[in-house]
């Protein structure tokens, strides 16, 4: 006899039993999966020895992942019933949902999604069990060849010989899959298909284009409804739509993936840069500017040629090969090596608003959030090993001020460790990882471990911002680098008169300024705070009779450094107010005969409406009360 138990104290005694039978006996109706000895197991797993079983439900991250993966199978099952000639690629769970890449016999459109979704619900009502089978590679190839699934066969052919493969079946649908899955299709109750997209097979533009169907799934109807509400809110906040409407930026066919900034967008960009410069000057950073094009030999030496060349652009000058920089660090190193440095100069904090180019696949481009050229608010700090933790703590303090105090974001931190394609001495990697971890622990900063996701030259701390509707965005980073100083033979003269190797800290706070602007547009829904709004005040004259007074006010306000627009159109006042509201202008100053006679303006606040009549001195005092981190 064997004893089967859960951490909550449920117990069953038998010679053997399946996980599915146990959960039925224990009436664990919400269980979507099971974990034994730290590993997920199939519901068909037969247990014969004393075992502690951890039930997994949809209110756990692991359970939600299982549910979404199973719903992806449900989607493919429905497509097979509706389109028997369809062929299937991959269908993983992803953040907030799932997708499946499919070759359809003829193109489908968004109008077909409700039909597929309805078939999914019919299959869910049938409560078809997910059954796991294991096959050797040869038999798995035969199985999918007989079903005409050439994409699956190609996947299996790339798997190592001798490996036993698992297949999950649900009725007449079968998929190559490690699992695990929910007990049956009826466990997938709360789902929604969201959109279609094109996806190259294996993400390679040389391969055929498949149809990718995106969807989402949750453990309850309320969670699904809330997620769909957030998606609708996100659509209304889409920075690409708002960027066009607010005259901030555009993309043109003559330069795909490279944004064109319009006057309002440049106003925001310039304020971001002004704020950035003020804060860095306070913290003893110096600013440099390095060339955009550098000799290929530099990129070979830095390791970018071996680790990053697929994301780089190249050119030839005087028959010699050059590369357009994807990162600023090699140029910054050349600046450091331009002089001999003493330990008395360290730490050296060197900042650069570097314009970099990175080749992104066409399908990955997404407004300002994923572009091929962007401005990085970079900095490199050169220090001694003893100074590392204090410098990291100072960067964390700066980041917290900018993210939380200035822009109002909550955030969480990930510590990313050595990746498979890392370069350099593993012992130096261990030391770098330990220094980052100590800085986080000593400041009491919670963090998640993200194994294997460091840069190829060093481990890193990443900052993930959470916006007002709960989405997260990776922005800032702190990367600790012992490798580049070695490769470039960087030195400083120590107190002992000998040469020593500095440590290099790479860091960005805003990250890509273009991306950060896109995040701000969506977070504020285009209604920027007063200090950074592209247009801070719009003067609305009731008629052209008051043009002289209006222009006099405009010049006075501009002299105070305020960004002003005048609505000179021959339109009714109500329309001018509505248009200013749509343009998210923080303040509207209304000018009519009464205002001219009294030397005042009637002031409307974007969110509060009419806040009364003010003379110039009162207005400036009121505006001076607005938060402005550049002045504070």
């Amino acid at each position: 006899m064997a004893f089967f138990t859960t951490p909550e104290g449920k117990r069953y005694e038998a010679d053997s039993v399946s996980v599915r039978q146990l959960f039925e006996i224990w009436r664990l109706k919400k269980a979507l999966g099971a974990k034994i000895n730290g590993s997920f197991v199939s519901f068909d797993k037969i247990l014969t020895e004393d075992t502690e079983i951890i039930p997994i439900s949809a209110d756990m991250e692991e359970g939600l992942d299982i549910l979404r993966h199973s719903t992806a199978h449900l989607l493919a099952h429905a497509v097979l019933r509706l389109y028997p000639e369809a062929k299937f690629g991959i269908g993983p769970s992803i953040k907030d949902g799932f997708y499946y890449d499919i070759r359809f016999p003829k193109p489908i459109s968004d109008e077909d999604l409700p039909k597929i979704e309805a078939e999914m619900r019919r299959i869910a009502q049938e409560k078809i069990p997910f059954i796991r089978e294991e096959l050797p590679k040869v038999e798995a190839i035969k199985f999918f060849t007989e079903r005409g699934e050439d994409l699956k066969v190609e996947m299996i052919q790339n798997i190592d010989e001798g490996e036993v493969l698992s297949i999950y079946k649900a009725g007449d649908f079968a998929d190559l899959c490690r699992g695990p899955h929910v007990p049956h299709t009826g466990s997938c109750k709360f789902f929604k298909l969201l959109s279609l997209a094109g996806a190259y097979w294996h993400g390679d533009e040389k391969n055929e284009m498949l149809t990718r169907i995106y969807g989402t799934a949750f453990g309850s109807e309320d969670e699904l409804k809330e997620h769909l509400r957030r998606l609708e809110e996100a659509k209304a906040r889409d920075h690409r739509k708002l960027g066009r409407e607010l005259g901030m930026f555009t993309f043109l066919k003559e330069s795909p993936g490279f944004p064109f900034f319009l006057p309002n967008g440049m106003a925001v960009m310039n304020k971001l840069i002004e704020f950035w410069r003020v804060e860095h000057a306070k913290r003893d950073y110096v600013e440099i500017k390095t060339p955009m094009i550098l000799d290929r030999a530099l990129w070979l030496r830095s390791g970018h040629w071996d680790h990053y060349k697929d994301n780089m652009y190249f050119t030839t000058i005087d028959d010699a090969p050059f590369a357009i920089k994807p990162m600023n660090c090699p140029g910054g190193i050349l600046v450091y090596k331009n002089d001999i440095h003493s330990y008395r100069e360290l730490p050296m904090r060197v900042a650069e608003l570097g314009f970099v180019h990175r080749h992104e696949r066409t399908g990955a481009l997404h407004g300002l959030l994923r572009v091929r050229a962007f401005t990085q608010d970079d900095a490199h700090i050169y220090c001694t090993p003893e100074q590392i933790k204090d410098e990291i703590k100072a960067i964390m303090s700066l980041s917290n001020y900018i993210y939380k105090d200035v822009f109002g974001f909550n955030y969480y931190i990930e510590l990313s460790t050595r990746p498979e394609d890392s370069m350099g001495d593993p012992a130096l990697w261990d030391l770098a990882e330990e220094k980052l971890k100590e800085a986080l622990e000593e400041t009491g900063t919670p963090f998640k471990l993200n194994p294997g996701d460091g840069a190829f030259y060093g481990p890193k701390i990443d900052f993930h911002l959470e916006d007002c509707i709960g989405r997260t965005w990776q922005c800032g980073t702190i990367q600790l680098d012992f490798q580049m100083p070695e490769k470039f033979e960087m030195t400083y003269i120590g107190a002992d008169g000998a040469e020593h190797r500095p440590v290099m800290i790479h860091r960005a706070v805003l990250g890509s300024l273009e991306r950060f602007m896109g995040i701000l547009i969506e977070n504020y829904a285009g209604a920027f705070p007063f200090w950074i709004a592209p247009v801070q005040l719009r003067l609305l004259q009731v008629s052209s009779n008051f043009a002289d007074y209006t222009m006099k006010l405009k010049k006075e306000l501009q002299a105070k450094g305020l960004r002003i627009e005048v609505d000179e159109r021959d339109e009714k006042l109500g329309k001018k107010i509505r248009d200013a509201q749509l343009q998210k202008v923080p303040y509207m100053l209304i000018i009519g005969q009464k205002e001219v006679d009294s030397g005042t303006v009637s002031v409307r606040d974007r969110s509060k409406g009419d806040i009364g009549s003010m003379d110039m001195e009162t207005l400036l005092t009121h505006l001076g009360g607005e938060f402005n981190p550049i002045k504070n």
Side-chain angles (χ1 to χ4, degrees), residues 533-563:
V535 177
Q536 295 174 304
L537 303 103
R538 183 175 289 185
L539 278 57
L540 311 180
Q541 54 189 28
V542 175
S543 79
S544 59
N545 296 333
F546 312 116
D548 291 344
Y549 183 74
T550 300
M551 295 310 295
K552 173 176 173 290
L553 284 176
K554 178 186 177 184
K555 290 178 180 178
E556 290 180 14
L557 292 167
Q558 283 179 329
K560 300 295 182 181
L562 296 165
R563 295 182 293 283

Side-chain angles (χ1 to χ4, degrees), residues 206-342:
K206 297 176 182 177
N207 292 336
E208 68 174 303
M209 177 81 77
L210 303 177
T211 299
R212 177 170 293 179
I213 302 180
Y214 284 100
T216 191
F218 285 88
S220 72
E221 186 174 10
D222 287 344
E223 288 175 302
L224 177 61
K225 285 182 177 178
E226 173 59 19
H227 181 73
L228 296 178
R229 183 197 68 77
R230 284 188 176 188
L231 289 180
E232 287 302 311
E233 179 70 15
K235 283 182 184 178
R237 294 170 176 268
D238 190 320
H239 77 283
R240 295 166 297 180
K241 169 179 172 288
L242 289 171
R244 288 192 302 271
E245 294 173 353
L246 301 178
M248 298 188 72
F249 63 88
T250 188
F251 287 89
L252 301 174
K253 64 181 180 180
E254 290 81 359
S255 191
F258 299 87
F260 289 73
F261 280 92
L262 307 178
N264 283 351
M266 281 308 301
V268 174
M269 180 69 78
N270 287 335
K271 270 297 161 186
L272 276 176
I273 291 172
E274 181 185 355
F275 165 66
W276 181 90
R277 286 196 165 116
V278 167
E279 292 304 321
H280 283 71
K282 288 179 185 176
R283 293 165 174 81
D284 294 327
Y285 283 80
V286 295
E287 186 177 349
I288 63 170
K289 183 177 178 63
T290 62
M292 201 181 306
I293 300 176
L294 294 159
D295 193 298
R296 184 181 68 172
L298 178 72
W299 304 105
L300 284 165
R301 187 174 185 182
S302 70
H304 288 84
W305 188 265
D306 292 329
H307 296 269
Y308 208 73
K309 67 181 176 184
D310 290 343
N311 297 93
M312 296 170 66
Y313 295 110
F314 306 96
T315 188
T316 300
I317 302 174
D318 295 334
D319 297 325
F322 285 74
I324 301 171
K325 67 178 179 181
M327 298 178 188
N328 299 302
C329 31
I333 291 170
L334 295 182
V335 171
Y336 178 90
K337 286 175 64 68
N338 192 52
D339 290 301
I340 297 172
H341 299 287
S342 162

Side-chain angles (χ1 to χ4, degrees), residues 306-599:
D306 292 329
H307 296 269
Y308 208 73
K309 67 181 176 184
D310 290 343
N311 297 93
M312 296 170 66
Y313 295 110
F314 306 96
T315 188
T316 300
I317 302 174
D318 295 334
D319 297 325
F322 285 74
I324 301 171
K325 67 178 179 181
M327 298 178 188
N328 299 302
C329 31
I333 291 170
L334 295 182
V335 171
Y336 178 90
K337 286 175 64 68
N338 192 52
D339 290 301
I340 297 172
H341 299 287
S342 162
Y343 73 97
R344 299 180 189 277
E345 298 174 66
L346 306 185
M348 286 180 59
R349 305 183 185 104
V350 184
E352 178 177 14
L353 291 167
F355 194 50
V356 299
H357 290 69
R358 298 179 185 178
H359 177 62
E360 298 284 355
R361 295 182 185 277
T362 300
L365 299 174
H366 184 77
L368 295 181
L369 303 182
R370 181 73 71 174
V371 292
R372 288 174 168 152
F374 57 91
T375 307
Q376 194 166 40
D377 76 316
D378 225 337
H380 298 99
I381 299 170
Y382 309 99
C383 64
T384 68
E386 295 77 22
Q387 294 168 332
I388 290 174
K389 281 195 289 188
D390 285 342
E391 290 305 305
I392 291 171
K393 290 175 184 178
I395 298 168
M396 290 170 61
S397 175
L398 170 63
S399 301
N400 184 74
Y401 169 69
I402 291 176
Y403 298 150
K404 204 159 194 173
D405 297 342
V406 174
F407 292 107
F409 289 110
N410 291 320
Y411 64 89
Y412 71 89
I413 284 175
E414 285 186 347
L415 172 58
S416 299
T417 56
R418 181 157 59 106
E420 290 184 4
D421 68 339
S422 65
M423 67 180 191
D425 184 351
L428 289 178
W429 274 87
D430 293 341
L431 177 60
E433 290 173 8
E434 187 60 32
K435 291 289 186 182
L436 290 178
K437 186 177 179 183
E438 286 176 5
L440 290 167
E441 290 175 344
E442 289 177 16
T443 55
T445 305
F447 65 93
K448 297 180 180 179
L449 192 63
N450 190 12
D453 201 42
F456 66 85
Y457 49 79
K460 60 179 180 170
I461 292 171
D462 286 330
F463 295 80
H464 297 261
L465 310 190
E466 181 180 330
D467 69 15
C468 64
I469 59 173
R471 298 171 300 179
T472 57
W473 312 87
Q474 195 275 312
C475 284
T477 187
I478 305 171
Q479 301 170 354
L480 187 52
D481 183 3
F482 288 85
Q483 312 299 333
M484 291 290 180
E486 289 288 338
K487 291 183 79 70
F488 283 91
E489 300 178 341
M490 300 169 68
T491 61
Y492 67 90
I493 306 302
D496 58 0
E499 289 188 344
H500 297 269
R501 194 77 75 210
V503 177
M504 187 174 181
I505 302 174
H506 310 245
R507 54 111 284 206
V509 180
L510 302 180
S512 157
L513 296 191
E514 288 77 359
R515 186 169 187 266
F516 195 76
M517 185 189 295
I519 293 168
L520 290 181
I521 292 171
E522 298 204 0
N523 185 60
Y524 296 132
F528 285 94
F530 178 77
W531 74 274
I532 200 173
V535 177
Q536 295 174 304
L537 303 103
R538 183 175 289 185
L539 278 57
L540 311 180
Q541 54 189 28
V542 175
S543 79
S544 59
N545 296 333
F546 312 116
D548 291 344
Y549 183 74
T550 300
M551 295 310 295
K552 173 176 173 290
L553 284 176
K554 178 186 177 184
K555 290 178 180 178
E556 290 180 14
L557 292 167
Q558 283 179 329
K560 300 295 182 181
L562 296 165
R563 295 182 293 283
I564 313 295
E565 273 188 357
V566 176
D567 190 338
E568 299 177 301
R569 296 176 301 164
D570 186 19
E571 295 282 358
K572 291 183 179 180
L573 179 61
K575 177 170 175 50
K576 291 184 177 184
I577 291 173
R578 285 193 299 274
D579 289 347
Q581 289 284 157
L582 289 172
Q583 288 294 302
K584 321 285 187 179
V585 179
Y587 288 100
M588 291 145 269
L589 308 183
I590 298 170
I591 299 163
Q593 190 63 56
K594 181 179 72 172
E595 286 75 27
V596 172
D597 292 343
S598 61

Side-chain angles (χ1 to χ4, degrees), residues 94-110:
I94 55 175
K95 186 180 184 298
D96 293 332
F98 59 88
Y99 69 78
Y100 216 115
D101 290 343
I102 303 169
R103 180 200 293 147
F104 283 89
K106 60 181 181 178
I108 67 167
S109 67
D110 288 322

